[in-house]
Amino acid sequence: MRQTEVTGELPAARNRSVGLAVTKRAAEEMGGSIEVDTQKGAGTCMTVRLPLAGETEAA
């Protein structure tokens, strides 16, 4: 196995938000949701909510 050092930044559009889109779809398929709260200069908070086994949204 060879370790390679990566320097520089990836192009801005490359793979942007792909993981978030997959997470959103998975959460929704399980009856949950994802919330994103961004504060300029402070960062981003992502909250994934999933129901407990046996619970429904109507409960």
Side-chain angles (χ1 to χ4, degrees):
M1 182 186 302
R2 188 177 85 183
Q3 183 176 0
T4 303
E5 184 175 335
V6 178
T7 59
E9 296 182 9
L10 293 174
R14 185 174 178 190
N15 295 324
R16 178 179 282 177
S17 300
V18 172
L20 185 56
V22 170
T23 302
K24 179 180 184 288
R25 185 180 337 176
E28 289 174 348
E29 287 177 359
M30 292 184 275
S33 64
I34 185 168
E35 299 170 17
V36 180
D37 181 27
T38 300
Q39 300 294 320
K40 187 174 182 178
T44 301
C45 178
M46 296 184 187
T47 304
V48 177
R49 298 182 188 275
L50 299 173
L52 293 174
E55 283 190 358
T56 63
E57 285 190 28

